[in-house]
Amino acid sequence: MSGEGSSANGNKKVALITGITGQDGSYLAEFLIKKGYEVHGILRRSSSFNTGRIQHLYGQPACHTGGQMHLHYGDLTDTTCLISIITKIRPKEIYNLGAQSHVKVSFELSEYTAQVDALGTLRLLEAVRTAGLEKETRIYQASTSELYGKVVEVPQTEKTPFYPRSPYACAKLYGYWIVVNYREAYGMFACNGLLFNHESPRRGENFVTRKITRGVAKIQLGLMKHLELGNLDCKRDWGHAKDYVEAMWLMLQQEEPEDFVVATGEAHSVREFVEKAFSYVGRKIAWRGEGENETGHDADTDELLVKVNAKYFRPTEVDLLLGDPSKAKQKLGWKPRVTFEQLVRDMVEADLQLMKKNPEA
């Protein structure tokens, strides 16, 4: 743990990442360090270590010290700490990835989600202005495809109207527009990345893609009987997080700040994800029943592998999200490298290795 990062950093590019311990934050920190950045991250205080995804980036991983990464205790709900950190390290780039990012959980923690995802973005923007860096610091805001919600057109572009369908999406909607407002009102270099679903072996365990691949691994190793899921037919545009952090960086390297959709341009259902994941361990799924009574069985042995459980349904569902990344391809020169099939295989293989080492993971 530092907080020891010096503000006397000369000509070195300094980046600050909120949410550095998450999936995207860890890949972005790796990416920026490879490009020679001094990387600072904001870490929420916890009684246990929560740096598993970034521990390897320390100069001395066993001691949690050294290297080009510096961590500072802070929180997006605490304006004072944001001003203090930003004033001290004077970052050239800020990547606001910190959020309560679970859509289903946001219905249960709606006020907290708004405090972090909506007002947290405002606090960060104001902290930059208070530090006198509004003309020097470039800001990336992690926006989301969930803003499109009950979609009014397919595919979704930067000009598609928003129709949020969860407290998470509503909070992120405020974050999106306050970034646009501060960009126009104060001339700040601030961008929104409208990122569609992006996954990896570092995805949180309670997100559906990781829940599937962990379940497949546990079932294959005899550690679990079957997997329980919610809506099997909702479709998402799934990419790999490692590809998407490059797009974040590219947005802040442009001459003018703009907002971009980052997506693969392909949509796949949760059902397809399940089928593909099981296929990598040699199992084919045969589906039976409908709705809440639907089940998935091993086509050869008839073993029950998947059950639908209504408790995982959202109060308001988003049926289809499909992004059009044409603007990002044209202006940023960005395109996804990892295919849907490669993504699923990568996650299944990683979870098989994880469960073999630690069956209780």
Side-chain angles (χ1 to χ4, degrees):
M1 176 65 202
S2 45
E4 76 268 18
S6 170
S7 60
N9 37 53
N11 295 322
K12 193 173 199 107
K13 265 203 166 183
V14 177
L16 175 64
I17 304 172
T18 71
I20 193 171
T21 60
Q23 169 189 254
D24 293 5
S26 65
Y27 281 119
L28 180 60
E30 284 179 354
F31 179 86
L32 294 176
I33 287 172
K34 287 178 182 177
K35 287 194 170 291
Y37 281 70
E38 179 181 298
V39 173
H40 293 254
I42 294 180
L43 178 72
R44 284 181 298 170
R45 175 75 179 102
S46 173
S47 59
S48 58
F49 283 119
N50 56 355
T51 55
R53 294 185 180 97
I54 55 173
Q55 187 170 338
H56 63 289
L57 297 177
Y58 284 112
Q60 300 177 58
C63 303
H64 292 239
T65 59
Q68 293 299 308
M69 180 180 68
H70 309 275
L71 301 183
H72 309 259
Y73 284 127
D75 199 290
L76 286 167
T77 62
D78 188 333
T79 304
T80 304
C81 82
L82 295 176
I83 294 172
S84 176
I85 293 168
I86 291 170
T87 300
K88 180 180 181 180
I89 69 174
R90 303 185 69 82
K92 298 296 184 185
E93 297 172 5
I94 295 178
Y95 297 85
N96 186 29
L97 311 185
Q100 190 302 100
S101 58
H102 197 286
V103 177
K104 178 68 164 60
V105 171
S106 77
F107 285 94
E108 300 165 27
L109 297 176
S110 55
E111 183 179 346
Y112 175 74
T113 301
Q115 281 289 343
V116 176
D117 299 11
L119 294 180
T121 306
L122 174 62
R123 293 185 187 103
L124 193 68
L125 291 165
E126 274 298 310
V128 171
R129 292 186 65 232
T130 302
L133 296 173
E134 65 266 33
K135 300 300 183 184
E136 299 177 32
T137 299
R138 297 187 170 199
I139 302 166
Y140 169 83
Q141 165 66 9
S143 199
T144 171
S145 59
E146 289 287 334
L147 296 185
Y148 297 114
K150 191 174 182 180
V151 298
V152 299
E153 66 179 9
V154 179
Q156 294 88 55
T157 72
E158 292 81 3
K159 295 181 180 180
T160 301
F162 299 135
Y163 195 143
R165 297 267 283 174
S166 66
Y168 166 73
C170 291
K172 281 291 190 177
L173 184 66
Y174 177 89
Y176 174 93
W177 283 115
I178 202 65
V179 165
V180 172
N181 181 252
Y182 271 54
R183 181 170 70 210
E184 295 175 350
Y186 302 114
M188 297 175 73
F189 195 110
C191 304
N192 286 292
L194 290 154
L195 271 60
F196 281 65
N197 294 64
H198 45 291
E199 320 296 319
S200 77
R202 298 182 192 175
R203 190 54 143 155
E205 292 87 349
N206 58 352
F207 286 83
V208 68
T209 51
R210 188 75 196 288
K211 184 178 180 181
I212 292 168
T213 59
R214 280 168 53 84
V216 168
K218 283 182 176 288
I219 291 169
Q220 185 65 13
L221 297 173
L223 303 172
M224 192 166 83
K225 293 295 185 182
H226 64 267
L227 181 62
E228 293 190 358
L229 298 169
N231 186 350
L232 294 170
D233 293 317
C234 62
K235 292 185 176 182
R236 295 292 184 268
D237 185 326
W238 277 303
H240 198 296
K242 189 177 287 189
D243 286 343
Y244 285 38
V245 299
E246 180 185 16
M248 299 177 191
W249 176 77
L250 285 169
M251 289 180 209
L252 298 193
Q253 312 313 308
Q254 305 306 301
E255 291 186 7
E256 299 293 333
E258 293 186 67
D259 306 321
F260 291 88
V261 163
V262 179
T264 68
E266 294 181 14
H268 300 272
S269 66
V270 173
R271 186 187 304 274
E272 287 179 76
F273 200 106
V274 170
E275 292 170 348
K276 187 64 67 175
F278 272 107
S279 75
Y280 289 130
V281 292
R283 297 197 183 208
K284 183 178 180 181
I285 300 292
W287 300 100
R288 297 179 191 167
E290 295 180 353
E292 296 180 21
N293 298 315
E294 187 167 13
T295 56
H297 299 255
D298 186 307
D300 295 324
T301 67
D302 202 39
E303 177 186 355
L304 175 65
L305 298 177
V306 184
K307 284 181 67 176
V308 170
N309 188 328
K311 79 175 184 179
Y312 296 118
F313 290 167
R314 298 180 186 179
T316 45
E317 186 57 83
V318 173
D319 297 317
L320 169 65
L321 292 174
L322 174 62
D324 178 357
S326 297
K327 181 181 175 182
K329 289 181 178 179
Q330 177 186 351
K331 291 196 171 185
L332 303 179
W334 177 88
K335 63 179 180 180
R337 298 183 179 89
V338 180
T339 66
F340 174 72
E341 291 75 17
Q342 290 170 329
L343 169 66
V344 180
R345 182 186 295 112
D346 187 19
M347 294 179 68
V348 170
E349 290 177 351
D351 275 326
L352 281 169
Q353 291 303 312
L354 175 63
M355 300 307 165
K356 287 175 183 177
K357 291 179 183 178
N358 181 13
E360 296 181 359

